[in-house]
Amino acid sequence: MNIHEYQAKELLSKYGVAVPRGFVAFSKDEAKTAAEKLGGSIWVVKSQIHAGGRGAGRFKNDPDGDGGVRLSRSVDEVAANAEKMLGQTLVTKQTGPAGKEVKRLYIEEGCDIARELYLSFLIDRATSRVTIMASTEGGMEIEEVAEETPEKILKAVIDPVEGFQAYQGRKLAFGLGLEGKQVGSAVKFMAAMYRAFTELDASIVEVNPLVVTGAGDVLALDAKMNFDSNALYRHKDVEAMRDPDEEDAKELEAAEHELNYIALDGSIGCMVNGAGLAMATMDIIKLYGAEPANFLDVGGGATKERVTAAFKIILSDENVEGILVNIFGGIMRCDVIAEGVIAAAREVELSVPLVVRLEGTNVDLGKKLMAESGLPIIAADNLADAAEKIVKAVKEAA
Ligand code: ADP
Ligand code: MG
């Protein structure tokens, strides 16, 4: 699960990570009040969307105008910028061409930036360890740095038993060219970030840019946090930061029914039990020349209710041109699954071709029920047969 920059800064600052002062604002008036409360003479109005590259992004209604992060030199300018940004669609490298509507702003005190650096904590799947990445090339996309000048990315791997060690922090700080009291500040900063990362079950904490101010302070000017959804049950405060506007409505609905669903770009909706079988089903759809519209694991207890909910979610995706149901009746009996599929297909008034491949306990009875249902269900005998049939049916229907 992702959260907004201002929320990440709020969490990080509780752990002692240094961040500039700021307030969230949902309206022009709130933006103005925030600027007044902050005081000073320079503010930054920052679009809050779950995507990076906001500074370099552009608004759809004003492609030649300023980006999603705007320096403002008076309270009135803060208000004017807030008005221009709220309700508009911001397109950045990370949002894709559709962009994202800006519904919240973060009003932050302007910072006197001397240097922009990069710092992140993430889990490296190769070593299965928390890894720190640091670079002098802050403010730009780290993927580009990794591509063009990989030598500019410094890494430190954290031993899970020992945890983050000060010497690792000092080594990185020197590598970043920090000096004097900045080194101590950076080590403290990293120790706090590590604690936030582990205690909150984050999967990534990225500060880009990490800045050194004119006065020599080390601050997080941007912050991104991503959390392990499986651990959210023990972080109610983090869970409460979920912003449904930023999430796929279908995925939210699926979560409510305890379905493991991920929306994808293709046209064949898949309903499968078991993550492994779901992956194999997606692969074989591709093999037969089409693309899956989703990953969907209905789980072991594929009841009629869950199958119906799954059907509805799949069909609410306007890209779906056909559905492939691939279920192995191990714990569940195939006749029960067939009843669920039939009832669901009736309830949702199926409008696209449906191929069902059942295997396992009571498979013959399951197939018989579907054949006698009077519904245009295309039965398949195995994985390859199922994929071939749905791809063909979709082509014919088009
Ligand atoms: P994004 O990564 O989405 O573009 P950032 O928060 O990193 O958004 O902001 C982009 C750039 O805007 C930063 O690299 C920095 O140069 C500038 N910036 C952001 N916040 C401030 C601030 N509080 N004061 C001064 N400049 C800022
Ligand atoms: Mg940034």
Side-chain angles (χ1 to χ4, degrees), residues 5-55:
E5 172 200 2
Y6 77 94
Q7 295 166 322
K9 284 178 168 169
E10 184 188 317
L11 289 174
L12 290 173
S13 79
K14 279 189 193 152
Y15 283 85
V17 175
V19 299
R21 289 161 55 239
F23 296 101
V24 65
F26 291 83
S27 67
K28 175 187 156 192
D29 289 339
E30 282 179 22
K32 198 171 169 179
T33 311
E36 281 162 358
K37 270 200 277 185
L38 286 169
S41 58
I42 185 153
W43 299 265
V44 181
V45 182
K46 308 183 76 173
S47 306
Q48 299 297 291
I49 54 172
H50 285 189
R54 296 161 300 165

Side-chain angles (χ1 to χ4, degrees), residues 328-358:
F328 179 77
I331 301 169
M332 286 286 291
R333 298 194 328 258
C334 289
D335 53 320
V336 177
I337 296 162
E339 278 172 1
V341 170
I342 292 163
R346 285 215 172 98
E347 195 179 326
V348 300
E349 289 175 29
L350 203 65
S351 53
V352 296
L354 168 65
V355 171
V356 179
R357 180 251 176 172
L358 290 177

Side-chain angles (χ1 to χ4, degrees), residues 18-306:
V19 299
R21 289 161 55 239
F23 296 101
V24 65
F26 291 83
S27 67
K28 175 187 156 192
D29 289 339
E30 282 179 22
K32 198 171 169 179
T33 311
E36 281 162 358
K37 270 200 277 185
L38 286 169
S41 58
I42 185 153
W43 299 265
V44 181
V45 182
K46 308 183 76 173
S47 306
Q48 299 297 291
I49 54 172
H50 285 189
R54 296 161 300 165
R58 288 294 175 263
F59 284 93
K60 265 196 172 161
N61 65 330
D62 184 17
D64 301 319
D66 293 331
V69 175
R70 298 185 182 182
L71 221 61
S72 311
R73 296 181 188 278
S74 70
V75 171
D76 287 337
E77 199 183 341
V78 167
N81 274 325
E83 191 167 26
K84 281 183 207 151
M85 293 157 87
L86 281 169
Q88 297 303 331
T89 302
L90 181 60
V91 181
T92 82
K93 258 192 177 173
Q94 292 183 11
T95 60
K100 281 199 162 162
E101 187 185 335
V102 176
K103 296 185 173 177
R104 319 176 179 200
L105 298 170
Y106 192 45
I107 315 299
E108 195 171 66
E109 58 186 355
C111 172
D112 169 23
I113 304 170
R115 295 184 64 204
E116 294 203 352
L117 310 169
Y118 175 93
L119 183 66
S120 67
F121 283 65
L122 48 91
I123 293 167
D124 177 1
R125 286 175 192 265
T127 58
S128 308
R129 290 187 172 195
V130 178
T131 300
I132 313 177
M133 295 220 302
S135 176
T136 50
E137 309 305 292
M140 55 187 287
E141 275 193 59
I142 199 66
E143 289 80 4
E144 267 171 45
V145 182
E147 182 98 353
E148 284 155 28
T149 48
E151 70 282 0
K152 288 189 174 164
I153 297 182
L154 312 171
K155 280 189 188 171
V157 178
I158 299 175
D159 183 294
V161 176
E162 290 177 342
F164 170 77
Q165 298 291 305
Y167 80 86
Q168 296 180 302
R170 282 194 295 274
K171 197 170 163 198
L172 289 173
F174 289 128
L176 291 173
L178 299 177
E179 39 195 36
K181 68 165 191 175
Q182 293 164 11
V183 174
S185 307
V187 174
K188 227 183 97 195
F189 190 102
M190 288 181 221
M193 237 169 112
Y194 176 68
R195 225 163 55 80
F197 184 96
T198 49
E199 286 182 21
L200 295 172
D201 292 308
S203 49
I204 188 163
V205 181
E206 182 182 64
V207 170
N208 185 23
L210 168 77
V211 298
V212 181
T213 67
D217 294 322
V218 178
L219 277 183
L221 214 56
D222 190 5
K224 167 181 166 170
M225 287 185 91
N226 206 316
F227 300 90
D228 178 350
S229 308
N230 292 319
L232 279 177
Y233 73 93
R234 55 186 188 191
H235 303 291
K236 297 288 178 235
D237 50 337
V238 174
E239 172 83 57
M241 291 180 165
R242 191 184 280 278
D243 180 356
D245 285 342
E246 293 284 342
E247 299 191 13
D248 186 301
K250 298 190 290 308
E251 289 181 14
L252 285 177
E253 173 81 19
E256 265 169 41
H257 292 94
E258 291 174 46
L259 298 164
N260 291 311
Y261 173 91
I262 312 270
L264 299 168
D265 297 329
S267 60
I268 312 278
C270 311
M271 185 162 82
V272 188
N273 64 340
L277 192 57
M279 298 295 278
T281 305
M282 290 160 59
D283 279 347
I284 204 151
I285 287 173
K286 278 177 175 270
L287 188 68
Y288 279 91
E291 296 285 326
N294 63 275
F295 167 94
L296 173 59
D297 169 13
V298 287
T303 59
K304 184 189 148 201
E305 287 70 30
R306 291 177 80 183

